[in-house]
Amino acid sequence: MQRLKSRAWLLITILFTLSLPSYAQLEIPTDIQPPRGIVGEKYRWKIPVNYDGEGTLSWSSENLPSFIWVNGNGIFWAKPWADRMPPQGSEGYYPDVTFTVTDGTETSTYGPFTWIVEPNNNISGSLVYPRIDPTSPATELPEVSLTPTQAASLLFQATFGPKVGEPAMLSTNGFEYWFNEQVAIEPSYHLSRYDNYLAYGADDEAKTRYRVWWDKSINAPDQLRQRMAFALSQILVVSEKDATLSQHPRLLTDYYDVLIRHALGNYRDLLLDVSRHPAMGYYLTAIGSQQENPFEGIRPNENYPRELMQLFTIGLDELKPDGSPYLATDGNPIASYSEDDVGEFSRVLTGWHLAGNTDWNNLSDGELFASMQPNEGRHDSGSKQVMGITFTGGQSAEQDLNLAIDFLFNHPNTPPFVSRILIQRLVKSNPSPEYITRIANIFRNNGKGVRGDLSMVAKAILSDEEARSGDADKLKEPLIVMANLARAMAMRGNLDGFYQDINTAEAYGQIPLGSPSVFNFYRPEDTPEGSLNDAGLAAPEFTVLNASSFKAFSNILNSVISQNKNYDTPEVNENNKVDISACYANSNVSKFEEQMTYLEQTFYHRPISDTMLNAYRQFTDSIGANNGRIRCKGMIWLTVTSPEYLVQE
């Protein structure tokens, strides 16, 4: 957004060449605001041009919305005698607007600047939106018909992996039936299961949290919800790497349940609950942030306000509907907000502490398993300005928080920003601009006028033509690969149904709620050096699954495959076991084709390539005829460490 600032009038000179020297002069007062209008009201804005030539001036423009036009006197939405005004639905932000004036010989351009259309009635009353997202027309999602192979592909995207028989069932019942069933299933929460583990004798420690995560990821019937929660955990990041949270694995489990609760709910509700959760309060130091007191050196904490904007909603740059950045005249992206905005926003979010807190300076005084509560005496109740938004003075901490969430939730950046990351986490590392646009439109309007409906966002992501085309390539995250293996081989826990940890802290390069920073294990645009980077493609998962980490990862895969003895007779104190009996039934060297069928139906769910068939034949030839069990385990290991399995299509 261009802001015109000076201590006097800003003078913009436009030169025109006629038979005699001439000039055009544009004078704008210092306090003028960027052009904007109000839907439903007549509006006129004129650029005062002084011109001493004898030519006839003509105007043209670029990037103006269709309901604005140019004439020889300036720019108009409404003439005094004409009933022309911005139509309903035109609310929005129109950057890079330029006006060009010429007398036929000399030409000069004014701009680019931002033209803003504000709604007649702000949804939050006291906010003035400098950029409001118009409601998109309802988008009709495509009908999805799935073969068993296509159904398996969808299950790799939407769940922690298909179990044997599930692709055929999904293909028979249909996508619509499966999706509605997944949405209707009651959430499978982790905290109650965590407490079951404690009652069984597990320690209140990180390893127990990992055990519960594996238990639910492998077995929970609401697989879509669980997979969405894992994706959201990499957007709305908190981490056990924080010194305080490392001591509270049960609190992290409770935070994960917030993600599960809202994974198929509304993104605004999720933002509000996350903002008030003690785990986020500790991680981004929102707990105890208070109004400025210069005499005591106290300033509001900027961590959470900054990341709420940068990572959870709108991002660093102003975005087009397709997720690409708007560019200024110098070719650089236009920043979404300034450091001044961060400072002002930190004032908005002051005054929050643990529920029941009696000692403000004691960050552990209060209730951990309840939403943070406001202390009005510590809240900055003065007027604030954030990105052109006025937070009216005298409002409570709760009112300011809700207005802040309203603004960020309704910002035009939020739909494409969040949609792109969710597409990447579920389906495709490099979604097309059109794919992002389609999903962002569903985020804006679920078909019933509701914004931020994550269940419909998930449905749109999975039913989109790019998801179902067979070209939706992404490298699987290491945790996803292990979960795929566990579900494919019906991994079970001990006699009482409790799972052991699967080497979570050492083998994967990622831990649920354990990223090294608020930026997650990787950023959406990350890619390794080499051909992918040269082609301008993102491949963020290579940050954690790379040449140096692959050895540890492949070793744990081999270890899990080997844990298969006495699968049908579980004991009280034993490791997780996988079912390898179907492979053993075809372990004879003469049953190579049957073995390939087993691998195809259990793991790949699509025809095995000639490259892999040759690898299996070579491996078979290298193993003695009497070593069928070794051959079985080796073939499965070759499968789950192969590029064809690690790359999700």
Side-chain angles (χ1 to χ4, degrees):
M1 180 183 296
Q2 175 175 313
R3 302 181 185 278
L4 303 173
K5 299 179 179 178
S6 74
R7 296 182 180 177
W9 291 66
L10 176 66
L11 184 66
I12 301 178
T13 302
I14 309 173
L15 298 180
F16 295 88
T17 301
L18 300 173
S19 57
L20 297 174
S22 61
Y23 66 92
Q25 191 174 58
L26 177 66
E27 296 179 319
I28 303 174
T30 57
D31 60 349
I32 194 169
Q33 295 296 313
R36 64 179 64 198
I38 305 295
V39 167
E41 296 180 12
K42 295 182 181 180
Y43 186 74
R44 173 183 177 181
W45 183 60
K46 180 178 180 180
I47 302 177
V49 175
N50 297 324
Y51 177 61
D52 67 351
E54 297 179 0
T56 300
L57 300 183
S58 60
W59 291 81
S60 60
S61 64
E62 291 186 6
N63 299 323
L64 273 179
S66 59
F67 48 85
I68 305 174
W69 77 96
V70 185
N71 69 10
N73 297 318
I75 308 306
F76 295 89
W77 263 342
K79 296 180 181 179
W81 46 268
D83 186 18
R84 185 172 177 88
M85 61 187 71
Q88 293 292 334
S90 64
E91 301 97 330
Y93 173 95
Y94 303 91
D96 300 327
V97 173
T98 59
F99 299 122
T100 300
V101 62
T102 182
D103 66 65
T105 303
E106 291 292 319
T107 300
S108 184
T109 298
Y110 169 62
F113 61 89
T114 300
W115 195 293
I116 298 167
V117 187
E118 295 179 349
N120 220 346
N121 297 306
N122 292 319
I123 63 169
S124 295
S126 60
L127 287 183
V128 177
Y129 288 92
R131 186 175 179 200
I132 193 71
D133 209 15
T135 299
S136 296
T139 301
E140 186 174 344
L141 298 183
E143 292 187 7
V144 177
S145 179
L146 301 168
T147 66
T149 297
Q150 293 168 329
S153 173
L154 185 143
L155 290 171
F156 276 120
Q157 296 165 347
T159 76
F160 282 100
K163 291 185 175 182
V164 174
E166 284 186 342
M169 186 181 302
L170 171 55
S171 177
T172 299
N173 293 335
F175 171 73
E176 196 74 20
Y177 177 90
W178 174 87
F179 177 81
N180 291 336
E181 184 181 54
Q182 284 291 304
V183 173
I185 296 173
E186 288 294 317
S188 299
Y189 291 120
H190 289 210
L191 187 60
S192 57
R193 188 60 174 159
Y194 185 94
D195 289 340
N196 292 155
Y197 274 75
L198 296 185
Y200 191 72
D203 294 326
D204 187 8
E205 61 179 3
K207 187 172 288 189
T208 301
R209 185 172 69 81
Y210 307 155
R211 293 170 67 181
V212 171
W213 188 88
W214 287 114
D215 188 342
K216 290 298 182 182
S217 298
I218 295 167
N219 298 308
D222 56 331
Q223 279 287 298
L224 176 60
R225 188 187 305 275
Q226 299 292 323
R227 183 68 186 270
M228 280 286 286
F230 184 56
L232 291 166
S233 76
Q234 298 186 62
I235 301 174
L236 303 151
V237 171
V238 302
S239 176
E240 66 173 30
K241 302 303 182 185
D242 174 78
T244 300
L245 293 180
S246 67
Q247 305 301 311
H248 294 286
R250 191 169 182 271
L251 180 62
L252 284 170
T253 306
D254 185 68
Y255 180 83
Y256 203 88
D257 276 353
V258 172
L259 304 179
I260 290 171
R261 183 177 306 116
H262 296 293
L264 298 178
N266 193 279
Y267 197 67
R268 186 197 183 279
D269 297 336
L270 175 58
L271 289 173
L272 190 59
D273 276 3
V274 161
S275 298
R276 297 185 296 195
H277 197 280
M280 183 61 75
Y282 280 127
Y283 188 60
L284 291 179
T285 56
I287 291 178
S289 180
Q290 59 183 304
Q291 63 183 327
E292 184 173 8
N293 186 333
F295 300 104
E296 297 183 15
I298 295 173
R299 292 177 54 84
N301 194 288
E302 295 184 355
N303 284 352
Y304 185 62
R306 184 185 303 275
E307 308 312 348
L308 179 58
M309 291 190 290
Q310 179 179 344
L311 300 176
F312 301 172
T313 52
I314 66 175
L316 289 173
D317 304 320
E318 296 284 13
L319 300 179
K320 299 176 183 178
D322 64 6
S324 62
Y326 285 111
L327 301 180
T329 51
D330 60 4
N332 293 317
I334 301 170
S336 299
Y337 56 87
S338 68
E339 284 301 307
D340 289 342
D341 291 323
V342 175
E344 286 288 277
F345 201 23
S346 70
R347 296 176 57 211
V348 172
L349 300 182
T350 52
W352 292 88
H353 212 297
L354 297 177
N357 172 259
T358 58
D359 180 0
W360 185 266
N361 295 317
N362 184 352
L363 299 184
S364 61
D365 176 38
E367 174 58 52
L368 284 178
F369 293 89
S371 295
M372 293 191 296
Q373 298 296 315
N375 181 325
E376 299 304 335
R378 303 283 181 168
H379 175 60
D380 187 335
S381 60
S383 177
K384 305 104 177 168
Q385 292 283 331
V386 182
M387 292 184 282
I389 311 158
T390 299
F391 287 76
T392 305
Q395 297 194 123
S396 68
E398 189 80 50
Q399 287 174 316
D400 272 355
L401 173 61
N402 272 279
L403 294 178
I405 296 299
D406 267 345
F407 166 64
L408 295 174
F409 177 66
N410 287 283
H411 194 287
N413 272 22
T414 301
F417 183 82
V418 175
S419 296
R420 179 200 175 196
I421 300 175
L422 287 175
I423 294 170
Q424 284 189 310
R425 298 279 56 79
L426 299 179
V427 170
K428 190 174 186 180
S429 295
N430 295 278
S432 71
E434 294 78 16
Y435 190 5
I436 295 172
T437 300
R438 290 191 292 269
I439 306 310
N441 284 338
I442 294 294
F443 188 105
R444 293 184 179 94
N445 182 353
N446 68 350
K448 298 179 180 179
V450 176
R451 184 182 181 89
D453 180 349
L454 291 176
S455 67
M456 289 303 295
V457 168
K459 186 177 185 180
I461 289 172
L462 297 171
S463 63
D464 192 87
E465 59 191 49
E466 284 193 40
R468 305 276 56 87
S469 66
D471 297 322
D473 294 337
K474 70 185 295 291
L475 182 69
K476 294 179 184 177
E477 298 170 70
L479 285 171
I480 298 291
V481 176
M482 179 56 78
N484 287 174
L485 170 64
R487 285 177 59 80
M489 300 189 73
M491 179 183 281
R492 64 154 176 81
N494 66 16
L495 178 65
D496 298 309
F498 291 95
Y499 281 67
Q500 297 298 328
D501 178 37
I502 312 178
N503 205 21
T504 308
E506 290 84 26
Y508 306 96
Q510 58 177 167
I511 297 170
L513 299 187
S515 67
S517 76
V518 72
F519 296 101
N520 189 29
F521 307 101
Y522 33 70
R523 302 194 188 196
E525 63 276 6
D526 282 353
T527 194
E529 292 296 325
S531 58
L532 290 172
N533 185 53
D534 294 343
L537 297 175
E541 296 84 0
F542 278 101
T543 303
V544 290
L545 185 57
N546 50 47
S548 62
S549 66
F550 185 74
K551 181 178 179 180
F553 176 56
S554 60
N555 283 343
I556 188 61
L557 290 171
N558 182 63
S559 175
V560 166
I561 295 165
S562 299
Q563 295 289 335
N564 58 71
K565 291 183 179 179
N566 303 318
Y567 177 85
D568 294 324
T569 56
E571 299 176 359
V572 174
N573 297 311
E574 66 171 346
N575 288 328
N576 313 323
K577 297 293 178 64
V578 295
D579 184 3
I580 201 170
S581 58
C583 184
Y584 285 168
N586 298 297
S587 61
N588 190 286
V589 70
S590 65
K591 294 187 175 181
F592 181 81
E593 295 300 328
E594 291 87 341
Q595 193 75 278
M596 294 302 99
T597 299
Y598 163 76
L599 295 176
E600 183 177 298
Q601 294 179 349
T602 305
F603 299 100
Y604 291 113
H605 299 281
R606 63 180 184 272
I608 299 174
S609 71
D610 290 341
T611 300
M612 285 306 300
L613 285 174
N614 289 334
Y616 292 130
R617 288 192 179 96
Q618 292 176 23
F619 179 73
T620 295
D621 292 342
S622 70
I623 302 296
N626 297 322
N627 293 320
R629 289 177 176 265
I630 294 175
R631 186 184 306 106
C632 254
K633 290 185 286 187
M635 282 188 168
I636 294 172
W637 181 82
L638 280 174
T639 299
V640 297
T641 57
S642 69
E644 293 187 23
Y645 190 75
L646 295 177
V647 174
Q648 176 181 292
E649 296 181 1

